[in-house]
Amino acid sequence: MANEEPKTVPQQIIMKGGDGPLSYAKNSSLQKGVVDATKGMIIHAIANNLDMDKFCSQSSSQTFRIADFGCSIGPNTIFSMQNIIQALEQKHHENNHGNSPTILEFQLFFNDHSTNDFNTLFKSIPPSWPYFVAGVPGSFYRRLFPKSSIHIGHSSNALQWLSKVPQEVVDCKSPAYNDGSIYCRGIEKEVTKAYIAQFEKDMESFLNGRGEELVNGGLMVILMGGVPNGIPLSHTAIGKFYDLFGSCLLDLTNKGLVNEEKVKSFNLPLYFPSAKEVKELIERNGRFSIESMNEITEQLKRGQPLPSAQNCISHVRAGFEGLIKDHFGTEIVDEFFACYAKKHLQSGFVFGDNGVDNTLMFMILKRI
C-alpha cells in the first residue's frame, strides 16, 4: 500500500498554559514591551479617529464593547484592554469637559482557540475591575460576534499565525514542497507563493468577519510582525532564529529520536508580510479605511533592552512547546528544548544582532 501524503489541517496555536516557570504567562515580557511601546499610540489613535459623540447618548449610560482577538493567556491582553479603556475614558472626559451625564460601561471579550487556557487568564483579572468580561472561544478567521456589536477590536502579535500550513509545502510531489526548511524563507518561489495564498485567504476571512462585527465607524487596532519591503524572512533576525530552531530537529533525527518523515512534514504556520502586502489586502477588501499604518521597530528597540539568553530560551519554549508536542509527541519535548537551549547559548544568538530587523506594524483601521 502506497504511503499517503501528509495532510495539513487547521491548527490551534496555543501558548503554554498555567502560571508555572515555563508558562507563557511568566514568559511574555517581550510581548509586554510591545503593549507598553504602543500605549501612547493607541490613546492618540482613539482621540483622533473615534467619533464618541456618535456612540454616546447624552442622557443615559453607554456600553462600549471591546474585543481582543488572539488574547492568549495573559497578562498582556489585560494590559491592552486597560490601555484602550483609558483612552476611551480620557477622550470622553475631554469631549465633555468632565461634565457629561453619560456613564461609560465596558464589556470586554477575550477571544482565542477553545484550547486556550482561559482559566489562567481569568484568574489574572484584578478582582476590583469594574468591567463586564467574557471569553469567546473560536478561530478569529471566522465570525465570532453578532453584526455591528463591537466598537473596538484589538489584535496583537496574532495575525502572522496562519489558520493552517499550506498543503503544497508538505507534499513531496508538489513544486512547492518545502524540503530542508521548517518555515517560509521567502526565497523559494513556489513555497512563498503557497504561503502568500494561505495568508491572503486568512486575512480576507479576518477582515470580513470583523467587517460584519464592528459598528460603522468602529476601530480595529492591529499589531503584527512583518518584514521590510523586499527583504526575505531568511535574511532577518526571526529567520535566523527559525534556522537555529529547525536545526535542533535535524540533530534529534540524527540521534534516532525523531522520525525523518515527521521532520519533513513539519512546517511552521507562520507568514510575515511586508507593509505593502498588508496595505494592498486591506484596500482590496474594502471594508476598512486605513487611518494610520506605522512600522515601530525603532521605538521598540529604544524602549526595551535586549533580553538575556535564558529569557529568550524560556520565551521560545512558552511559545513553541505546543507545536512541537502536537506534531512529534510529548516524549521529545524536553530533549528538543534542551538541544535548543544549548545551541542558543553556544551561538550567542541575539534577536537584534543576527540579521536584518523584522518590523512590527501598528495599524488603525476604521469600519466604513
Side-chain angles (χ1 to χ4, degrees):
M1 183 176 178
N3 291 331
E4 293 185 0
E5 294 298 334
K7 302 293 184 183
T8 63
V9 296
Q11 292 180 267
Q12 296 197 13
I13 309 302
I14 298 300
M15 305 297 106
K16 186 171 177 62
D19 59 359
L22 296 177
S23 68
Y24 182 80
K26 290 285 172 44
N27 292 283
S28 54
S29 60
L30 296 178
Q31 293 86 343
K32 173 63 162 54
V34 173
V35 174
D36 293 341
T38 55
K39 178 179 179 179
M41 300 173 73
I42 288 175
I43 292 174
H44 182 267
I46 289 175
N48 287 279
N49 296 293
L50 186 71
D51 184 0
M52 289 192 70
D53 291 338
K54 178 178 179 179
F55 304 126
C56 286
S57 164
Q58 294 302 307
S59 58
S60 65
S61 67
Q62 171 63 44
T63 300
F64 269 84
R65 297 179 182 88
I66 309 167
D68 190 14
F69 297 94
C71 65
S72 193
I73 297 157
N76 293 331
T77 183
I78 295 171
F79 296 137
S80 296
M81 289 291 207
Q82 188 64 62
N83 290 345
I84 292 172
I85 290 170
Q86 180 183 335
L88 288 168
E89 290 180 329
Q90 183 174 315
K91 181 175 175 68
H92 182 62
H93 181 83
E94 292 172 353
N95 280 3
N96 297 280
H97 308 289
N99 298 312
S100 173
T102 306
I103 299 171
L104 296 186
E105 294 188 311
F106 298 97
Q107 188 171 20
L108 314 179
F109 298 100
F110 296 93
N111 157 253
D112 214 310
H113 290 293
S114 59
T115 48
N116 184 57
D117 186 1
F118 285 101
N119 286 335
T120 294
L121 169 59
F122 287 123
K123 285 178 183 177
S124 64
I125 292 176
S128 59
W129 246 26
Y131 315 125
F132 304 94
V133 300
V136 181
S139 169
F140 52 57
Y141 290 128
R142 63 175 179 84
R143 279 281 301 276
L144 294 163
F145 298 99
K147 187 177 178 67
S148 300
S149 61
I150 302 297
H151 295 90
I152 297 182
H154 176 271
S155 183
S156 179
N157 290 306
L159 285 171
Q160 63 265 24
W161 290 99
L162 303 176
S163 64
K164 60 179 286 187
V165 171
Q167 179 63 44
E168 306 95 305
V169 304
V170 297
D171 181 356
C172 64
K173 298 176 183 176
S174 167
Y177 180 49
N178 196 21
D179 191 20
S181 182
I182 65 167
Y183 71 103
C184 179
R185 289 157 41 87
I187 295 175
E188 296 82 8
K189 181 179 178 181
E190 295 300 323
V191 173
T192 303
K193 282 174 59 179
Y195 269 94
I196 289 175
Q198 186 64 52
F199 173 72
E200 290 181 347
K201 179 181 179 181
D202 287 342
M203 275 297 291
E204 182 75 6
S205 297
F206 180 86
L207 293 170
N208 285 341
R210 307 301 78 80
E212 292 292 320
E213 297 160 353
L214 263 68
V215 299
N216 187 267
L219 300 182
M220 186 71 220
V221 181
I222 298 176
L223 291 97
M224 181 182 188
V227 294
N229 289 327
I231 303 295
L233 184 62
S234 61
H235 291 180
T236 69
I238 289 181
K240 303 298 182 185
F241 156 64
Y242 291 147
D243 288 335
L244 187 67
F245 192 84
S247 71
C248 298
L249 290 172
L250 296 179
D251 287 357
L252 267 60
T253 301
N254 292 334
K255 290 180 178 180
L257 298 175
V258 178
N259 181 282
E260 185 177 359
E261 294 305 314
K262 292 286 285 183
V263 174
K264 288 183 176 180
S265 65
F266 180 73
N267 274 251
L268 295 172
L270 283 160
Y271 181 74
F272 290 82
S274 67
K276 180 174 180 289
E277 288 176 275
V278 175
K279 183 174 183 290
E280 289 175 352
L281 283 172
I282 295 168
E283 291 175 343
R284 187 192 313 162
N285 178 266
R287 290 175 175 264
F288 295 88
S289 62
I290 301 174
E291 300 301 301
S292 64
M293 186 173 189
N294 301 293
E295 297 181 5
I296 61 170
T297 308
E298 290 304 315
Q299 293 95 311
L300 286 175
K301 289 173 69 176
R302 288 196 299 269
Q304 186 167 251
L306 289 173
S308 68
Q310 190 54 55
N311 195 12
C312 280
I313 291 165
S314 297
H315 275 64
V316 167
R317 179 156 187 170
F320 288 90
E321 178 176 311
L323 280 172
I324 295 297
K325 185 184 297 183
D326 288 347
H327 192 84
F328 297 100
T330 58
E331 299 82 8
I332 74 150
V333 169
D334 288 339
E335 183 79 20
F336 175 85
F337 285 103
C339 177
Y340 175 77
K342 182 179 179 180
K343 286 199 166 197
H344 186 109
L345 293 170
Q346 288 177 341
S347 68
F349 184 89
V350 178
F351 276 102
D353 293 346
N354 286 77
V356 177
D357 282 326
N358 289 77
T359 62
L360 184 68
M361 290 174 272
F362 177 86
M363 293 169 270
I364 300 293
L365 311 183
K366 181 181 283 189
R367 178 70 175 95
I368 55 177

